[in-house]
Amino acid sequence: MGRVALVTGGSRGIGEAISKKLKADGYTVAATYAGNDEKAAAFTEATGIKTYKWNVADYESSKAGIAQVEADLGPIEVVVANAGITRDAPFHKMTPEQWHEVIDTNLTGVFNTIHPVWPGMRERKFGRIIVISSINGQKGQFAQVNYAATKAGDLGIVKSLAQEGARAGITANAVCPGYIATEMVMAIPEKVRESIIAGIPVGRLGEPEEIARCVAFLASDDAGFISGSTISANGAQFFV
Ligand code: CAA
Ligand code: NAP
């Protein structure tokens, strides 16, 4: 049995590609999701990867879900905090509900995912934390004050955890995808999406598998000296 890897939002989109890649690389993978039971069941049927349902925005549910994963599969050594949502609106139209929903899921959800596994990683002196941030956390984005704030926050989380985890053999890194062909991007109005694609120098959206390969590298033993870093995979759309 390989190392146990937890992928939140691991049943579809980028998370699905990450779950499959980690399984192919020999990890025992647990994939979580929020509510799309049909997709999760189809994913498990197709991949044999176990799925778990909880809301990452809720600390107690995350803690209980993680305890269940560890009881089923063993100690979690790799965490991929991938679950995320958008609630886009220009700032003057953004509601407090849209603000809080995104903060609770994308930012507090990352805390809720990492915090319960952290003590075990410290004790065992090994861990890999990988947070899926975004190009829009690096550059900001029209209509994404809420989302960009969470994704920039992810970078602060991994830089801080990298320092706290260093002596315990734990690395913490972020991947900042550009625009990737998933349902999240397909939800953007078509005309707007076309203009976004026109602004990507490689002339296309990224594929989820292109992000999964970055995650697999950061999870591997080869990446042991990399911590507090960000891999940008965005088709040359933005440079830090
Ligand atoms: N830059 C400058 N101006 C813009 C703009 C932009 N990027 N986008 C829209 N505007 C302008 C519009 O042209 C419009 O101008 P006028 O009032 O002069 O006509 C004005 O802003 C307001 O636009 P709307 O009235 O159309 O705004 P709306 O309330 O209907 O909201 C929207 C529309 C939500 C902004 C929609 O355009 C949208 O979804 N945009 C995409 C935002 C985006 O890129 N989200 C990323 C989602 S994918 C993701 O998040 C993954 C990731 O990490 C990369
Ligand atoms: P997606 O296709 O919409 O999939 C989102 C996944 O997250 C689903 O499995 C969903 O579960 C789960 N999820 C959502 N809210 C949750 C919650 N509260 N609790 C638990 N799970 C939850 O999204 P994606 O495009 O793959 O994006 C994945 C991550 O990459 C996100 O963090 C996103 O911000 C980031 N990202 C995406 C892009 C892009 O262009 N697509 C670019 C940069 C960064 P259900 O299936 O049950 O809904």
Side-chain angles (χ1 to χ4, degrees), residues 6-7 9 11 30-38 40 50-56 58 60-62 64-66 68-69:
L6 174 72
V7 184
S11 61
T32 82
Y33 69 105
N36 191 336
D37 296 319
E38 205 178 316
K50 239 169 134 46
T51 49
Y52 296 81
K53 180 177 171 178
W54 72 75
N55 178 4
V56 296
D58 184 85
E60 291 307 322
S61 303
S62 298
I66 284 166
Q68 186 61 55
V69 170

Side-chain angles (χ1 to χ4, degrees), residues 85-86 88-90 92-93 133-137 141-144 147 151 177-180 184-185 187-189 192-193 196:
I85 58 168
T86 53
D88 294 354
H92 63 281
K93 293 185 188 171
S133 173
S134 167
I135 184 175
N136 292 345
Q141 171 61 35
F142 189 99
Q144 286 201 312
Y147 183 89
K151 296 301 181 178
Y179 284 76
I180 309 299
M184 182 178 276
V185 163
I188 301 172
V192 179
R193 192 171 64 243
I196 289 170

